[in-house]
DNA sequence: CGCCTGTCTCGACGCCCGTCGAATCAGAGA
DNA sequence: TCTCTGATTCGACGGGCGTCGAGACAGGCG
């Protein structure tokens, strides 16, 4: 069945809203935790963390799989699997252009995760 | 063997240095990824994410296990296991005072993770 | 001293995850 | 059309993870 042309993200989390006050400011509700934890989990693998960085820091904001794969001592299918994980976590988008597939970071969710971990100076000083 | 009185963190990552430019600014080196991925992995579970938030947002900057456990439908050993995971990831510190054990967040590593995920407005605008 | 409460460790179970090879799909080009 | 390359899916294997119950350790209190 050929139905993988839709690179839709499984996680939506209304990317417009600020979504979450800092983790250290108010308790993260169970629902929010259930939604955001998979994103952290996806970043919880060294290979995926590097992939994410390579994609996010790429020249035109996008990276070709053909450029990502040779950077690791892993097989193509394994890299593809990791990219799928990042995709399903809502961290990246994929687009096929001709023979090649390009991945692009989704800044919204990255900002949300960063905001969740952010610590205002007050909290840092008091600890 | 009674040697769990030392709540030392297994991850050190010289907490003073800024440690890491944003993930979207320059490629995360393999070494850095290997060190920081476990921290994200530790946050990649809903229970641990909530525990982390409960600890970090607690009144005096610390939370008692006796207050954390009843917030979940999980057994004591399971919560203890998750807290150990957070401890080994360098995200929290534990201290025993009398009968109770108190956990405290480590703001440095939280700041490092947030910095790694941070996106400067330029990158956000171009995407 | 003995007991009780709070916390952790240990061992076990089932499930998920990272990795691979083989096979399949998608396009480009001869 | 046939073939070739790039990327994904599929099935399988081994190891790790989340959860539990039972037991052990720490400390306070009769």
């Amino acid at each position: 069945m050929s139905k993988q042309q839709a690179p839709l993200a499984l996680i939506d989390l209304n990317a417009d809203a600020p979504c979450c006050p800092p983790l250290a400011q108010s308790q993260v509700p169970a629902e929010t935790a259930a939604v955001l934890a998979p994103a952290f989990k996806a970043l919880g693998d060294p290979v995926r963390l590097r992939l994410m960085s390579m994609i996010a820091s790429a020249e035109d904001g996008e990276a070709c799989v053909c450029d990502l794969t040779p950077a690791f001592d892993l097989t193509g299918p394994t890299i593809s699997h990791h990219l799928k994980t990042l995709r399903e976590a809502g961290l990246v988008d994929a687009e096929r252009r001709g023979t090649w597939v390009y991945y692009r970071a989704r800044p919204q969710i990255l900002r949300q995760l960063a905001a969740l971990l952010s610590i205002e100076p007050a909290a840092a000083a008091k600890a």
Side-chain angles (χ1 to χ4, degrees), chain A residues 49-125:
Chain A
L49 193 54
R50 290 176 60 197
L51 282 171
M52 190 67 209
S53 177
M54 293 174 72
I55 294 170
S57 67
E59 278 294 319
D60 302 323
E62 63 183 12
C64 173
V65 176
C66 59
D67 290 331
L68 298 174
T69 303
F72 301 85
D73 284 337
L74 294 171
T75 65
T78 298
I79 297 298
S80 188
H81 163 69
H82 283 306
L83 290 172
K84 181 181 183 181
T85 301
L86 290 174
R87 222 184 317 142
E88 291 180 344
L91 289 165
V92 298
D93 259 344
E95 182 193 355
R96 170 164 228 124
R97 278 208 301 280
T99 304
W100 296 280
V101 175
Y102 295 87
Y103 279 77
R104 181 178 292 271
R106 309 185 122 229
Q108 317 95 8
I109 187 171
L110 279 181
R111 264 196 300 273
Q112 289 181 5
L113 297 180
L116 192 73
L117 298 181
S118 72
I119 298 191
E120 56 273 49

